[in-house]
Amino acid sequence: LKLKAINIPSIFEVRGEVYMNNADLVTLNERQAAKGEAAYANTRNVAAGSIRLLDPKLCSQRNLRMFCHGVGMCEGMASSNHMDFLAELGEFGLNPTPYVECFSNFKDAVDHCDKLIEKIPELDFEIDGIVLKVNRFAQRDELGARSKSPRWVVAYKWEKYEAITTVNDIAVQIGKTGAVTPVAELEPVQLAGTTVSRASLHNAEEIERLDIRVSDTVVVEKAGKIIPHIVRVEKHKRKPLAKPFPFPTVCPVCDTALVKDPDGVYIRCPNPRCEKKLIEQIKYYATRDAMDIEGLGDKVVEQLVVAGLLESFGDLYRITEEQLTALERMGKKSAVKLLIAIDESKSRGLARLLNGLSIRHVGKTVSNILAGYFGSMKQLQAANLETLNSIDEVGEIIAVSVFEFVRSDAGLKLINELSELGVSMESLQETQQLGDSLAGKSFVVTGTLSRFTRNEIQQLIKQHGGKASSSISSKTDYLVAGEKAGSKLAKAEKLGVKVLSENDFESLIR
């Protein structure tokens, strides 16, 4: 009831938004159920209704919270901009809006918005948008206001889709790095035009936070028609016999004791020979962004591993036609085509190889950076930790992961094995610079192209100094669009990204 600071303005009006955490709604609905009263549908309705109650004691039982985000009438305030104002609020003991950052250009601000949207499943409160404001109060005054809204603020909002369903089971999956990911198997429900039957629970800590159990009634959400996630458990509807989910302590596939990341939340199977882990690694090794082995689909990989024919990446290059034709639904013609594709993958180059090896924290972008910087696996192995850490976009965590992999017994054995089997350990010659006409420019390629493959056009972008990305953002300079460009074209037009045809692209590099 009292502000903490000493130098408080003589008049100090703060504006904000009252809200309720999802966890508090769960507790409130449990109390409602105990009293035989109706449960509340969502946090927004409870918060709005509670602040209208005439009895403050009753309102106080709802455990409402407030984010302070705006300044009203003030006299004697030290702050001249929004960021300083939020800092002042914290000093006074008030709760300012979280995740606020200031940027000097609009592109960086929008990029931050994209990152915030990815964090939505981690929040314990519900949101339907992000607000962008001019920082300096003097500039706000200069911009002024329309009849119903200020000119210095804009809200970026999306539609939210919610449904209530039941958890039929909680399963666990083993990924290519050994991470054990729990997944809620849901009673199928329609949500934003699709049937949702599964939702990732991410890790053991998320299960504990939600206190989710088999047979629970849950609220599942898609924000902006993206990936579904579970918002909360309706605990007041919980069945008496529902028990907490016992997170496995041993790998459900190979019975190896699971280990938790020292500084993280993920629990992993450390067994390099775990069958499921190997299946996922080889599946990824064969993908278009890695070694691009056409015909090596999920079912084929699973059959080969289960049959004991694949125990490492190297075994791919030892498979015979006879072994392949013995598989279910694999004829001689398909087997020959697959063997040719496997052999062709040897010449994909260092960047694709690094991406395909499932090194922790190393994906497509980092692989390209490392291949471009070192040029060969030999040079990468010779690099010290300090050199790796100094490379732009690599950083300490990735540097340590790469350093340890290329020097570990398992890493050395794998690299030597693949090298002896003829897999290229050098960067592709095609990556040599042909010019710098696209220097500093970011491109995304989409749709069906008639004169290039997607990989060819991305290679040309890099050869001329540009950057090829897989997703449209405010930082994208050009979208090269073929037939049936779809959602990326729509997003590019919305963001004002320049769209090029294949002819336009050729003119640009000339």
Side-chain angles (χ1 to χ4, degrees):
L1 296 177
K2 288 186 177 181
L3 299 182
K4 291 180 180 178
I6 299 171
N7 299 318
I8 297 168
S10 55
I11 298 176
F12 188 61
E13 181 187 354
V14 179
R15 296 173 181 174
E17 184 152 348
V18 174
Y19 72 101
M20 175 181 274
N21 274 349
N22 284 306
D24 291 330
L25 177 63
V26 170
T27 303
L28 177 59
N29 278 338
E30 285 183 293
R31 292 206 305 262
Q32 290 290 102
K35 292 187 290 184
E37 297 179 5
Y40 295 100
N42 56 62
T43 54
R44 185 186 180 92
N45 289 356
V46 181
S50 298
I51 58 176
R52 292 190 180 93
L53 292 173
L54 296 176
D55 186 350
K57 289 183 181 178
L58 185 58
C59 182
S60 69
Q61 295 171 9
R62 303 291 172 83
N63 203 17
L64 299 179
R65 304 162 191 261
M66 179 174 173
F67 282 136
C68 300
H69 59 60
V71 54
M73 177 181 281
C74 291
E75 289 182 8
M77 189 175 67
S79 305
S80 62
N81 63 66
H82 187 68
M83 298 305 290
D84 290 347
F85 168 70
L86 293 181
E88 260 192 291
L89 291 179
E91 291 172 7
F92 292 167
L94 297 172
N95 194 22
T97 314
Y99 307 113
V100 178
E101 289 193 34
C102 188
F103 300 94
S104 59
N105 65 77
F106 191 72
K107 280 192 172 185
D108 288 346
V110 174
D111 190 43
H112 181 63
C113 288
D114 289 339
K115 291 175 183 175
L116 285 178
I117 291 169
E118 292 176 7
K119 289 181 177 289
I120 290 172
E122 301 172 17
L123 303 178
D124 193 33
F125 51 88
E126 297 185 44
I127 67 170
D128 65 351
I130 295 167
V131 177
L132 295 97
K133 298 181 178 181
V134 170
N135 188 36
R136 283 166 50 190
F137 295 154
Q139 289 181 330
R140 293 183 183 183
D141 292 339
E142 190 174 339
L143 287 165
R146 303 179 189 88
S147 58
K148 293 185 178 179
S149 63
R151 290 192 179 92
W152 46 265
V153 60
V154 64
Y156 169 46
K157 298 209 169 194
W158 52 79
E159 290 183 88
K160 190 172 76 172
Y161 303 85
E162 259 187 12
I164 295 176
T165 187
T166 306
V167 179
N168 292 332
D169 195 11
I170 297 176
V172 293
Q173 297 177 337
I174 310 297
K176 62 187 177 70
T177 63
V180 182
T181 304
V183 178
E185 304 284 356
L186 307 172
E187 186 65 30
V189 62
Q190 284 290 312
L191 197 57
T194 60
T195 301
V196 174
S197 58
R198 309 181 90 220
S200 174
L201 295 172
H202 306 292
N203 52 61
E205 289 187 9
E206 179 70 357
I207 288 182
E208 188 177 339
R209 183 183 74 80
L210 289 169
D211 186 19
I212 190 168
R213 306 178 186 185
V214 174
S215 79
D216 272 347
T217 300
V218 295
V219 176
V220 62
E221 173 189 287
K222 272 187 180 181
K225 297 187 180 181
I226 316 175
I227 298 169
H229 71 274
I230 291 172
V231 176
R232 65 178 181 275
V233 176
E234 301 286 49
K235 290 185 184 176
H236 59 286
K237 296 183 179 180
R238 175 170 283 166
K239 294 176 181 177
L241 296 178
K243 295 180 180 179
F245 175 72
F247 202 90
T249 56
V250 298
C251 176
V253 178
C254 66
D255 289 333
T256 303
L258 301 176
V259 294
K260 187 176 181 181
D261 289 350
D263 301 313
V265 296
Y266 287 99
I267 294 172
R268 301 178 193 273
C269 172
N271 180 12
R273 302 182 72 83
C274 173
E275 187 175 274
K276 182 60 177 174
K277 188 172 167 182
L278 180 62
I279 286 171
E280 294 303 315
Q281 287 177 344
I282 293 177
K283 280 182 186 178
Y284 188 77
Y285 187 83
T287 58
R288 184 177 294 177
D289 285 342
M291 301 302 272
D292 195 14
I293 305 175
E294 190 173 346
L296 190 61
D298 294 356
K299 291 284 176 66
V300 176
V301 172
E302 287 172 14
Q303 288 185 72
L304 289 169
V305 172
V306 171
L309 298 173
L310 284 185
E311 294 185 359
S312 71
F313 296 117
D315 285 343
L316 272 173
Y317 301 100
R318 300 185 182 98
I319 292 174
T320 65
E321 184 182 323
E322 290 73 25
Q323 289 171 331
L324 287 176
T325 52
L327 301 178
E328 185 181 345
R329 296 184 181 181
M330 178 67 77
K332 181 174 181 178
K333 188 175 179 181
S334 297
V336 171
K337 284 181 68 176
L338 178 53
L339 287 171
I340 292 170
I342 291 172
D343 189 61
E344 288 176 345
S345 75
K346 293 178 180 179
S347 59
R348 298 288 185 238
L350 181 61
R352 285 173 174 270
L353 177 63
L354 289 172
N355 187 29
L357 291 180
S358 295
I359 305 168
R360 286 273 298 280
H361 309 299
V362 175
K364 180 181 175 182
T365 300
V366 172
S367 298
N368 283 322
I369 291 168
L370 292 173
Y373 190 92
F374 293 105
S376 71
M377 183 69 81
K378 190 174 181 180
Q379 291 295 326
L380 175 60
Q381 289 177 298
N384 58 34
L385 191 55
E386 186 179 0
T387 300
L388 283 163
N389 198 17
S390 68
I391 301 169
D392 189 34
E393 293 188 59
V394 172
E396 184 178 356
I397 293 173
I398 297 172
V400 169
S401 180
V402 173
F403 184 81
E404 290 180 348
F405 175 83
V406 297
R407 283 166 174 75
S408 68
D409 290 342
L412 284 168
K413 181 182 175 183
L414 175 59
I415 291 166
N416 290 337
E417 179 186 19
L418 291 175
S419 180
E420 288 169 4
L421 288 163
V423 176
S424 172
M425 299 282 159
E426 309 285 327
S427 289
L428 292 176
Q429 290 300 310
E430 290 88 344
T431 57
Q432 290 180 349
Q433 288 297 104
L434 300 178
D436 60 358
S437 57
L438 307 184
K441 301 297 182 183
S442 175
F443 290 76
V444 172
V445 184
T446 191
T448 305
L449 303 171
S450 59
R451 302 170 65 181
F452 301 95
T453 67
R454 191 169 298 185
N455 288 336
E456 284 171 347
I457 206 164
Q458 288 174 339
Q459 196 69 34
L460 280 168
I461 290 165
K462 294 172 188 174
Q463 287 174 304
H464 288 83
K467 178 183 177 183
S469 179
S470 60
S471 58
I472 291 279
S473 74
S474 59
K475 291 188 174 182
T476 306
D477 294 293
Y478 297 101
L479 174 72
V480 182
E483 296 285 329
K484 300 177 183 177
S487 59
K488 287 183 180 178
L489 177 59
K491 188 171 182 181
E493 290 170 344
K494 186 177 180 181
L495 293 172
V497 174
K498 188 167 183 179
V499 179
L500 303 177
S501 66
E502 290 177 82
N503 288 338
D504 294 333
F505 174 76
E506 283 193 295
S507 298
L508 200 64
I509 59 176
R510 281 201 296 270

